[in-house]
Amino acid sequence: MSVLVVGSTALDSIKTPKAENPRLLGGSASHAAVASSFFAPTRLVGVVGKDFPGRYVKLYEKHGIDLAGLQIQDGKTFHWSGEYELNMNNRRTLLTELGVFETFTPHLPERHKSSPYVLLANIAPGLQHHVLDQVNKPKFVVADTMDLWLNIALKDLLSLLKRVDLFVLNDSESHQLTEEDNVFAALRKIQKLGPKYVIIKKGSHGAILSSPKGYFICPAYPLHKVVDPTGAGDSFVGGLIGYLAKAGGSVDKNIRKAMVYGSVVASFCCEGFGLKTTTRVTRNKIEARFKELAQLTAF
Ligand code: AMP
């Protein structure tokens, strides 16, 4: 079953203590769609400008991603730039140039409207609503967000939470939303806002799910070296929904495995700049890390 991904399609300029890389393929939807494509047919909805390099389009195509919903408009592609501290959990945004994103209105091609699995990757909550308005009775809807929308579009975000099955956010965003330090109390508070399933991501410390069947604590893969964590959260959620779509059937039955697959794809993402490593990964490599994580957490 197919996955529809909407979010940002960007050029990312990333600076770490060791290196600097300009204008890489990035954006929440790019990371999430590539991650999902390892498991299920994936449709991308986004916008780029005329400056978007053809080789990046080829990368999407290499992963079999359906690009019918990718608009190419006059103007510049969304450009984001960020800098990491020595502790890679800390990042600051240096620059956000909206370009064609400023006037973006997502239009779903006819065949996308029946997508059973929908991932509203990080993008303005108003646009996430707009996409959801166009989909016919999806089976499972996941939404991600970022601190910016909690600051400037909280009302839209809160109404979105009533329309999604799973909401994914990171630790600091959950503090901001709930004013709650305890992660389990925060999960419960967010569930009361609407979503049946909530996941709080904790970077290199994994992710925690609260579901109707209880909690699940998903580890991060133990990497010895992180090159660039940009997009790890998007890769996590993309891998997760891709696996749910592939498995079909009961979400309660599959969501733990889906999180572990998400964690594995996120680990590859961190090993290279932008999407460099993720786009070279094979299903065999994913399965090998999945088995390692199973062994690491068995007792
Ligand atoms: P993450 O590392 O999971 O937080 O995701 C990083 C990605 O988010 C980068 O590829 C950026 O292009 C993208 N991004 C940064 N700012 C925004 C924004 N305001 N809206 C949508 N996507 C963004």
Side-chain angles (χ1 to χ4, degrees):
M1 280 201 265
S2 50
V3 177
L4 178 76
V5 179
V6 63
S8 56
T9 37
L11 297 175
D12 283 353
S13 298
I14 299 164
K15 206 169 163 186
T16 67
K18 296 243 168 80
E20 211 173 324
N21 269 283
R23 297 188 172 268
L24 298 162
L25 174 59
S28 58
S30 304
H31 283 282
V34 170
S36 165
S37 74
F38 289 112
F39 306 96
T42 301
R43 300 157 166 176
L44 176 72
V45 172
V47 65
V48 295
K50 290 261 164 69
D51 59 342
F52 194 67
R55 66 181 187 283
Y56 292 167
V57 175
K58 288 209 177 93
L59 263 186
Y60 291 140
E61 285 169 351
K62 180 186 147 202
H63 286 266
I65 296 170
D66 182 336
L67 299 177
L70 180 69
Q71 299 173 25
I72 302 173
Q73 288 183 4
D74 272 335
K76 292 205 163 159
T77 303
F78 175 61
H79 178 213
W80 174 82
S81 170
E83 179 174 17
Y84 287 90
E85 290 178 12
L86 211 50
N87 173 352
M88 296 266 220
N89 288 317
N90 300 328
R91 169 178 91 189
R92 70 190 176 99
T93 291
L94 299 174
L95 177 96
T96 305
E97 290 171 329
L98 290 177
V100 289
F101 221 58
E102 200 159 358
T103 52
F104 176 48
T105 311
H107 295 297
L108 301 198
E110 215 39 53
R111 67 172 182 274
H112 286 19
K113 294 183 179 171
S114 55
S115 304
Y117 292 82
V118 178
L119 172 55
L120 309 169
N122 174 29
I123 194 175
L127 296 179
Q128 292 175 314
H129 272 290
H130 189 68
V131 167
L132 220 41
D133 290 341
Q134 298 172 64
V135 190
N136 298 320
K137 297 199 182 96
K139 189 171 147 63
F140 198 72
V141 179
V142 182
D144 195 352
T145 196
M146 73 185 292
D147 53 356
L148 175 69
W149 312 122
L150 291 165
N151 290 329
I152 68 167
L154 186 60
K155 200 165 155 249
D156 282 351
L157 186 65
L158 289 176
S159 57
L160 184 81
L161 293 188
K162 308 225 177 297
R163 304 180 71 190
V164 307
D165 300 289
L166 164 62
F167 183 48
V168 182
L169 70 176
N170 71 29
D171 223 3
S172 61
E173 291 154 4
S174 79
H175 292 311
Q176 194 179 338
L177 180 61
T178 63
E179 293 176 351
E180 184 58 71
D181 273 336
N182 180 296
V183 70
F184 299 102
L187 283 164
R188 281 285 154 85
K189 271 195 178 175
I190 301 167
Q191 267 177 307
K192 286 199 179 126
L193 297 173
K196 203 166 157 192
Y197 303 84
V198 178
I199 293 175
I200 294 182
K201 297 172 286 177
K202 295 169 73 68
S204 57
H205 302 292
I208 305 181
L209 162 79
S210 181
S211 79
K213 298 272 177 197
Y215 297 119
F216 175 58
I217 300 179
C218 174
Y221 182 83
L223 286 180
H224 292 225
K225 191 176 160 207
V226 170
V227 174
D228 168 23
T230 309
D234 309 309
S235 303
F236 170 79
V237 79
L240 182 155
I241 197 166
Y243 180 76
L244 285 181
K246 175 189 149 76
S250 155
V251 170
D252 280 322
K253 185 168 155 256
N254 298 319
I255 196 160
R256 292 178 172 217
K257 267 193 181 175
M259 284 176 72
V260 176
Y261 275 113
S263 201
V264 166
V265 183
S267 72
F268 287 112
C269 171
C270 292
E271 287 184 301
F273 269 94
L275 272 149
K276 271 187 189 158
T277 306
T278 320
T279 47
R280 289 185 191 138
V281 166
T282 59
R283 268 310 296 268
N284 283 347
K285 286 185 183 169
I286 291 174
E287 289 305 327
R289 281 196 179 175
F290 181 87
K291 283 193 187 124
E292 267 186 81
L293 275 184
Q295 277 164 4
L296 272 169
T297 51
F299 60 89

